[in-house]
Amino acid sequence: MTAAAAQVRTGELPVPFGPLVDRGIAKPGRYLGNERGVEPRDWSEAWPAARVRWCLTYPELYEVGASNLGHILLYSILNAVPGQLCDRSYLPAPDLAGRLREQGQPLFAVESRRALAAFDLLGFSLSYELGATNILEMLDLAGIPIRASERGDRPLTDPAAPPLIFAGGPTATSNPEPFAAFFDFIALGDGEELLPEIGLVVAEAKASGLGRRELLRDLAQVPGVYVPSLYGPSPDGVSIVPLEPDLPKRLLRRVATPMPNYAMGLVPHIETVHDRLTIEIRRGCTRGCRFCQPGMLTRPARDVEPEAVIEAVETGMERTGYSDFSLLSLSCSDYLALPAVGVELRNRLAEHNVSLSLPSQRVDRFDSNIAHILGGTRRSGLTFAPEAGSQRLRDIVNKGLTDAELLRGIRTAMENGYRRVKLYFMIGLPGETDADVVGIAITCRQLQQNCRDLGRLELNLTISNFTPKPHTPFQWHSVSTGEFRRRQELLRRELRALRGLKTNFTDPRLSAMEDFVGRGDRRLAPVIEAAWRAGAGLDAWFETIERTHAAWTSAIEAAGLGGRYRALELGSWSATEALSAADLAAFCHQPLPWDHIDTGVDKTWLADDLQRALAAMVVPDCSFDGCSSCGVCGPEFGHNVVVPPPPIPAPLPPRAPASERLQRLRFRFAKTGDLALLSHLDGVRMLERALRRSGLPVSFTGGFHPLPRLEFALALPLGVEAAGDWLDLEMAAPTAPEQVLRRLQAQLPAGFQLLSVREVPLGGASLSQELVASTWSLELLDPGPVPLGSAEWQHAVEALLVASQWIWQDTDKKGRPRERDLRPYLEELACLQPGPTDPQGTVRLRYHARIDPQGRSLRPEQVQSWFADRFERPLALGRLCREQLGLRGESALDQRPVLI
């Protein structure tokens, strides 16, 4: 290992970022770590000064991880703890993973660009059973042993010591045993208070020079921390028990109060899965749906005070510049203050062109008040989850929803202007018969028929497969992939006759793998590892299902765990019904691999609730009715906190954003450094959010999706810097141009510089019509062992300038071959003097090209191709910069750089 490589490994130096992430990588903006809200740091000083260095690593692509609320909350909280530092990392896409391996570089954190192995703690969010293969991929890319037993006993202060690897999230909390071999510890439950406590223990251990094992013993005393290496199977082969006498026998799930003010910490520059401000209004759900693991793992219910929600949203929209916000809860409709909060927010934000969306709601609580607050200047989608197609089956699973309530909710939606609604259903639920499957189609047909007087109802259906989850009344249930397929086909046949319907079915193979892992034990560690080595990864993405299924199937069979390897399943629903109450209770009393996790819900209560399911008995929601005695409420987990509904304020009439066109400003700007790795669309989105944050009186378009009246002269290709591009902005009220520039620049990142501004006539030609020329500088990289000399390059430049034609062959948008003469576009071309730091074989060119009325001109790739053909050797493109865009009549065109 070279000295530089050793310094990268220990975090003294960042990884060499430029060779890894460039325009040849898909969406390079994923890896820049330059989101709005990132605290500016001098990492050469911040790194050695931090007592504890965290990296929260989300084992999914950036677009998923960066929009996860829990990830953002914990990142913001940890960075607020004195002496502690938190960075982030995400699963790299296959192209970057390949480069990391080819170049022998470790996976890095996005802000500091330090190797993951140099941090003290790496925390993985495990929210999906099959996400474990992504975690192993990240550990391998980071150069960290994937098994905890292989990480030695060095203190964290030793440069050779790997970080403490831990997991949190719902899957890790519900049943950590399949993943236990890979983690030093598991953080159980809510992390807002738990992670800072862990940081204090780690800081003391580092100061004392404790070895890894002693540090883990200390961490095992922190409520909510599970150290798998200090626990093992009991003689029954199933139960997990402590291996040392002073360890707790059961591990407590931590509970924290929502902290909405930490939700506005980061604003990604690229589009993410949930590209909006998200504010949590309620944590926990006490509806008691018997299939729902989140509902059991997040009790008790905790409402956020309405004033705190309003303040967080109002402040968050100002700070972030988002045009949309979402209020988040497992059951938003159970937040009784929702109508009042929603109306108040709509009133306060009426002039800010924003929209409100909610996740899946309880259709029985959906009313005109909630319908009124949804949307805004843009109407968001509406999603309900009936889950089952018959009243009988909804009673079995304790959904607490009647057919009449479902119809009333859908009609309310249509009366408020909705014509398309998304519905979630499950198949394979305990107690389901073919009549219940057909009932899904019947329910959809009746909804459409009974709403016909209000218009045509279009339904988007998502049909998922029920998979039993730990810590639920159905945790003992058995499922069959063959039955899933048969019932899916039965439902497809029934739905074919319906119109105005779109249906998406979950692949039964994914469901089978989820169930196999989710209710497994420690025998699954070698299966997970073998599946990853066989190519499993990104398993939640449907594009990878064939590879994923083959990898998991081969790993399961190789481990001898094929078929129904679990002895703790009841079999079919009819077999369960045939058991006496005493026999069923005795069966459910047997140990399970996750019994040592104390979620607060009594296992005996779960077994009793299974008995109630057999009788189709509905248990009321204890947040609003009597206590169901599940065992959660008490000093360790707290009690339900339900905020009574405040009065609903009088709604103000909706106001469209200002659309008056009273002023047009023309800006010259530069886009340099890392921002060159943002696409044109991402750059537009970044500028739109900056405009919202600035509070300037911008003019908006009309229609369904109002946008600022903003025009770029010419889209900038990905990976290209700009030194003199143009954009126009229209204002709804006349404003001093210099004031606009100053206020807007304050909201833009350092790499986007507004160079000048002036007012232009409102009725003038568009920017694209004004374009006449462009000036480019580019680097061509000659990889040959003997680089070409400057004389050879000069002769080639002269040959191109005197050529009468330059025929370029390509295809049009329809794939038809075509030929074009590019020579008329080229006006000037010259070799530049090499820079003092230019590596050998680097040639710098500058050319000036005409732009025709259709926007066509000469691209750098075409220049590269001409010289490569001329010299009969491959040439790579290096740094690219569009130095100038020339506009008709602009004096800047006459001031373009002199070609030498």
Side-chain angles (χ1 to χ4, degrees), residues 6 43 62 84 142 148 201 263 272 283 334 363 389 414 442 452 472 506 509 650 669 674 686 699 703 707 806 817 833:
W43 282 97
Y62 173 87
Q84 305 207 15
V201 175
T272 59
R283 187 172 299 180
D334 288 335
V363 67
M414 295 193 70
I442 294 173
R452 192 168 293 163
T472 68
T506 302
R509 294 173 294 179
F669 70 90
D674 284 348
M686 177 186 71
S699 175
L707 293 171
W806 175 3
Q833 297 295 331

Side-chain angles (χ1 to χ4, degrees), residues 135-136 139 144-154 162-167 179-186 212-213 216 226-230 522 525 529:
I135 293 175
L136 298 191
L139 289 175
I144 298 170
I146 63 173
R147 288 184 176 256
S149 60
E150 300 168 352
R151 296 179 193 138
D153 192 30
R154 299 173 185 265
L164 291 174
I165 310 300
F166 75 97
F179 325 102
F182 309 119
F183 297 107
D184 295 301
F185 67 91
I186 308 289
R212 193 183 201 88
R213 292 191 183 93
L216 289 173
Y226 170 42
V227 180
S229 62
L230 301 180
R522 292 194 178 188
E529 181 177 346

Side-chain angles (χ1 to χ4, degrees), residues 345-485:
L345 285 171
R346 286 201 65 168
N347 288 346
R348 294 193 188 190
L349 301 173
E351 297 179 349
H352 294 274
N353 183 27
V354 299
S355 297
L356 164 64
S357 63
L358 298 174
S360 176
Q361 303 165 64
R362 292 282 307 191
V363 67
D364 51 319
R365 283 193 182 274
F366 184 76
D367 57 20
S368 57
N369 289 323
I370 295 178
H372 167 74
I373 66 175
L374 290 175
T377 53
R378 297 172 302 284
R379 172 143 291 181
S380 58
L382 203 55
T383 303
F384 301 123
E387 307 296 1
S390 72
Q391 185 66 62
R392 181 192 69 87
L393 190 54
R394 287 189 218 113
D395 290 345
I396 287 176
V397 302
N398 204 50
K399 181 63 182 177
L401 175 68
T402 66
D403 291 334
E405 289 169 333
L406 176 59
L407 175 60
R408 184 168 62 248
I410 297 296
R411 285 188 64 87
T412 299
M414 295 193 70
E415 288 166 355
N416 282 273
Y418 290 91
R419 293 296 178 266
R420 181 180 293 109
V421 176
K422 186 173 184 177
L423 299 179
Y424 282 115
F425 289 96
M426 281 190 191
I427 60 173
L429 286 162
E432 183 182 69
T433 65
D434 284 1
D436 298 307
V437 177
V438 173
I440 295 174
I442 294 173
T443 296
C444 294
R445 182 182 302 113
Q446 290 178 344
L447 287 173
Q448 289 182 324
Q449 290 175 348
N450 292 330
C451 294
R452 192 168 293 163
D453 59 309
L454 300 174
R456 178 176 174 175
L457 172 62
E458 296 185 7
L459 297 174
N460 290 349
L461 306 185
T462 293
I463 312 296
S464 59
N465 305 315
F466 164 71
T467 54
K469 303 293 185 182
H471 305 289
T472 68
F474 292 155
Q475 64 185 345
W476 296 278
H477 189 61
S478 304
V479 295
S480 164
T481 300
E483 265 302 295
F484 282 146
R485 291 196 179 98

Side-chain angles (χ1 to χ4, degrees), residues 797-808 820-829 848 850 858 866:
V797 167
E798 292 169 358
L800 180 54
L801 289 173
V802 300
S804 60
Q805 282 189 321
W806 175 3
I807 302 302
W808 180 261
R820 288 184 295 148
D821 184 6
L822 299 181
R823 182 60 190 85
Y825 292 104
L826 181 63
E827 295 187 347
E828 298 179 46
L829 173 67
H848 188 70
R850 183 176 65 86
L858 186 59
W866 189 90

Side-chain angles (χ1 to χ4, degrees), residues 53-90:
R53 306 182 190 104
W54 297 79
C55 186
L56 294 185
T57 49
Y58 202 93
E60 260 293 353
L61 296 181
Y62 173 87
E63 294 92 315
V64 178
S67 59
N68 180 271
L69 178 60
H71 178 69
I72 296 170
L73 284 171
L74 294 176
Y75 164 85
S76 302
I77 289 170
L78 288 173
N79 274 318
V81 178
Q84 305 207 15
L85 175 152
C86 186
D87 204 339
R88 299 164 289 123
S89 185
Y90 306 92

Side-chain angles (χ1 to χ4, degrees), residues 598-668:
D598 184 1
T599 68
V601 178
D602 291 336
K603 184 179 178 183
T604 302
W605 183 86
L606 295 175
D608 292 343
D609 205 40
L610 178 59
Q611 296 270 19
R612 289 187 284 269
L614 289 167
M617 184 185 300
V618 175
V619 177
D621 186 340
C622 64
S623 288
F624 310 105
D625 291 292
C627 177
S628 60
S629 302
C630 71
V632 163
C633 289
E636 291 176 332
F637 297 97
H639 300 266
N640 291 331
V641 177
V642 179
V643 175
I648 301 174
L652 298 177
R655 296 188 292 275
S659 59
E660 296 83 2
R661 304 173 65 186
L662 301 181
Q663 186 182 36
R664 183 179 176 191
L665 301 178
R666 178 159 295 168
F667 295 84
R668 186 166 176 261

